[in-house]
Amino acid sequence: MRANTNLFWILFAFMLLADAAYTVWSLIWYEGQVEWVGTVGIGLAAILSAFLAFYLGRVHKAQGAELPEDLLDSNIDDGDPEMGFYSPWSWWPIILAGGGALMVLGLAVGFWISFIAGALLLVAIVGWVFEYYRGYFAR
């Protein structure tokens, strides 16, 4: 992660240099006028690089140590965390996906379909959340 942070700081410096060069070039080429679209676009790319570098630096500092993915002598299994528990027999994700597709269809075709999709989405979310509180798999 530290290497990514350094790369984004290098990208930030490059974008600032490119922005200055582009501004000077546009002053020469356009007879004393600045071409604002390119100058602002490259400047905003530099700011985005600085934001990313700052964020990655803060995350690296907050995690406390190097991650297994960052170490050269680590194995693939070292960075394999527990992702959670997912029911392999659950039908609720399929119903939820159908409700989401119906919602997008309603936004594109007719808004009244979105009301039906909203109700279907609500039922699917509640069903998926509470599927282990009833029936054969209740705990």
Side-chain angles (χ1 to χ4, degrees):
M1 175 116 24
R2 174 53 72 194
N4 292 338
T5 304
N6 292 336
L7 287 175
F8 275 109
W9 282 120
I10 291 170
L11 184 63
F12 169 68
F14 173 75
M15 287 291 176
L16 280 181
L17 182 66
D19 194 30
Y22 187 84
T23 304
V24 170
W25 175 78
S26 69
L27 282 172
I28 294 169
W29 186 259
Y30 289 114
E31 300 165 357
Q33 295 178 351
V34 176
E35 199 276 315
W36 288 106
V37 174
T39 302
V40 171
I42 297 172
L44 288 175
I47 292 171
L48 175 66
S49 300
F51 282 158
L52 289 172
F54 176 75
Y55 173 74
L56 289 175
R58 296 290 293 175
V59 167
H60 182 262
K61 187 187 293 186
Q63 73 189 11
E66 294 292 328
L67 293 175
E69 298 90 35
D70 296 330
L71 301 175
L72 295 176
D73 59 343
S74 64
N75 294 326
I76 293 174
D77 294 339
D78 294 338
D80 188 22
E82 178 69 31
M83 297 300 288
F85 176 74
Y86 299 99
S87 300
W89 56 81
S90 179
W91 288 87
W92 291 112
I94 297 171
I95 298 169
L96 189 64
L102 199 62
M103 177 69 81
V104 171
L105 178 73
L107 293 174
V109 176
F111 193 71
W112 62 273
I113 300 174
S114 297
F115 294 115
I116 299 169
L120 183 63
L121 284 171
L122 186 64
V123 168
I125 289 172
V126 170
W128 198 10
V129 168
F130 291 110
E131 74 178 329
Y132 282 107
Y133 291 96
R134 60 183 173 77
Y136 182 70
F137 299 107
R139 294 195 164 112

